[in-house]
């Protein structure tokens, strides 16, 4: 079973980590009230950074709800997002959406991000990964 946690190693923590994504994103996925920036991180897991400013989402309770929902959505999709540093930037109006609509939007954004992702370099198969072609 793949871990669906959101431990420290799954988060962008420092200004330098955020800046690396802002300065040279390999993927940009704009949504109606949200923008995803992503960049390869060379790790076997993704990392998430959230930018939900007071200017765009006025109430703290709304900002916290958005962060909670984004983290939950990220946890459910993190296996597919491995190797990416992702910064999610909230825009005006995001806090006005219902939870169900937010879940749908986040799911679509992860899918679009994966579609737009540059093809990874061909690599040798990771140890511990079963190859079904030898069955």
């Amino acid at each position: 079973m793949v871990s669906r946690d959101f431990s420290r190693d799954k988060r962008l923590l420092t200004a330098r980590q955020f800046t690396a994504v802002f300065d040279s994103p390999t993927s940009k996925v704009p949504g109606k009230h949200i923008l995803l920036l992503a960049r390869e991180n060379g790790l076997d897991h993704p990392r998430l950074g959230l930018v939900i400013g007071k200017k765009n989402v006025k109430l703290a309770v709304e900002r916290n709800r958005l962060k909670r929902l984004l983290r939950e959505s990220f946890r459910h999709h993190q296996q597919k997002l491995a190797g990416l540093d992702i910064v999610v930037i909230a825009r005006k109006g995001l806090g006005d959406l219902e939870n169900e609509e937010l879940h749908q939007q986040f799911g679509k954004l992860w899918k679009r991000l994966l579609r737009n992702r540059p093809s990874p370099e061909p690599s040798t198969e990771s140890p511990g990964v079963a190859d079904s072609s030898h069955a």
Side-chain angles (χ1 to χ4, degrees):
M1 178 73 192
V2 172
S3 168
R4 284 203 172 153
D5 68 340
F6 190 61
S7 53
R8 279 182 73 82
D9 62 337
K10 305 276 175 66
R11 298 180 212 161
L12 295 177
L13 297 169
T14 64
R16 177 187 254 159
Q17 291 171 335
F18 275 88
T19 304
V21 179
F22 283 124
D23 288 351
S24 57
T26 53
S27 298
K28 286 184 185 179
V29 181
K32 190 171 181 188
H33 302 289
I34 199 164
L35 174 65
L36 290 188
L37 299 176
R39 177 175 193 245
E40 299 293 325
N41 65 14
L43 303 170
D44 64 350
H45 58 270
R47 294 188 301 187
L48 179 69
L50 302 175
V51 179
I52 301 176
K54 232 187 251 190
K55 183 178 165 193
N56 291 328
V57 183
K58 298 273 186 270
L59 300 176
V61 59
E62 290 298 326
R63 291 193 301 276
N64 292 334
R65 178 178 69 103
L66 290 171
K67 287 189 267 191
R68 193 171 57 247
L69 290 169
L70 271 162
R71 287 192 295 255
E72 180 186 351
S73 180
F74 172 78
R75 280 199 314 270
H76 287 285
H77 292 86
Q78 69 183 2
Q79 189 176 3
K80 297 177 196 131
L81 299 168
L84 289 175
D85 280 351
I86 303 163
V87 174
V88 177
I89 303 165
R91 292 180 173 156
K92 279 194 188 338
L94 190 64
D96 302 333
L97 302 178
E98 297 296 323
N99 288 5
E100 190 53 46
E101 197 175 343
L102 288 167
H103 271 296
Q104 288 173 355
Q105 269 205 20
F106 299 155
K108 285 180 192 166
L109 286 166
W110 303 131
K111 283 189 183 104
R112 281 177 48 204
L113 175 61
L114 291 170
R115 260 202 317 264
N116 295 351
R117 190 177 188 177
S119 303
E121 302 301 311
S123 63
T124 58
E125 195 168 315
S126 309
V129 175
D131 184 359
S132 59
S133 65
H134 295 300

